[in-house]
Amino acid sequence: MAGSGQPWFMPLTWPLGHVSTAVTKPAEDKPPPPSSTPYLDITGNFTAMAAAARSWTLAYLCIYYLPEKFGLVYPAFGPAKEFSSDWMIHIVARNLLATWIICGFWDWFLYFSPIQKKLYKYKMNPVYPSLAQIKHDALVTTSASCAAAGIE
């Protein structure tokens, strides 16, 4: 994000900001060459802080807000003192739903949506993944979400 021409607060608008930017870019837009810098400037640091604030907010929603909205208590605050599937299912379901919605949407947006051709010039690797590769990635991501639920 830093140095990509996006405002420093762009991580806070994810994913709507990124999708709307991609949709509204003119077709004749020329992407800058990819670059990386060893140190972040002030804008890069603000971008990193905005991304950290987004991550903290998502964690807060998952731990405090959403369980309460569904009449549950986050398992670490009591129910997890006993080994039972009641509280485990909540964590596995949350992780899998978030994985499938977030990663599934992003893969669809990048590789299958009507805007795919417009985004092609921004790809670092000009080769699109095969359907077999996308299925493989989905399986590995799903298993990683299950493993993360097991650790949690």
Side-chain angles (χ1 to χ4, degrees):
M1 293 299 288
S4 66
Q6 301 294 334
W8 64 269
F9 55 83
M10 195 64 160
L12 295 174
T13 66
W14 175 87
L16 300 177
H18 297 78
V19 172
S20 66
T21 298
V23 169
T24 59
K25 277 204 179 279
E28 61 277 353
D29 185 48
K30 290 202 166 215
S35 65
S36 63
T37 56
Y39 300 104
L40 295 176
D41 59 3
I42 190 70
T43 304
N45 280 291
F46 277 124
T47 304
M49 287 188 283
R54 178 197 61 210
S55 297
W56 181 89
T57 302
L58 290 172
Y60 179 85
L61 288 172
C62 287
I63 292 173
Y64 293 100
Y65 183 76
L66 292 175
E68 184 180 302
K69 281 294 181 192
F70 290 102
L72 302 169
V73 176
Y74 185 68
F77 300 151
K81 65 184 169 197
E82 294 180 18
F83 197 75
S84 83
S85 62
D86 294 344
W87 60 267
M88 291 181 211
I89 290 171
H90 160 250
I91 292 174
V92 172
R94 179 203 62 203
N95 286 8
L96 289 177
L97 282 172
T99 297
W100 294 335
I101 290 169
I102 294 167
C103 299
F105 167 76
W106 205 245
D107 276 354
W108 172 83
F109 181 71
L110 293 176
Y111 303 127
F112 302 108
S113 74
I115 203 158
Q116 169 203 14
K117 289 181 177 51
K118 186 177 182 182
L119 297 174
Y120 177 78
K121 61 185 161 193
Y122 299 100
K123 284 180 58 60
M124 294 179 85
N125 180 355
V127 179
Y128 278 101
S130 65
L131 186 57
Q133 180 66 47
I134 290 174
K135 288 178 183 177
H136 170 268
D137 293 351
L139 178 65
V140 170
T141 303
T142 298
S143 64
S145 290
C146 291
I151 291 169
E152 190 174 347

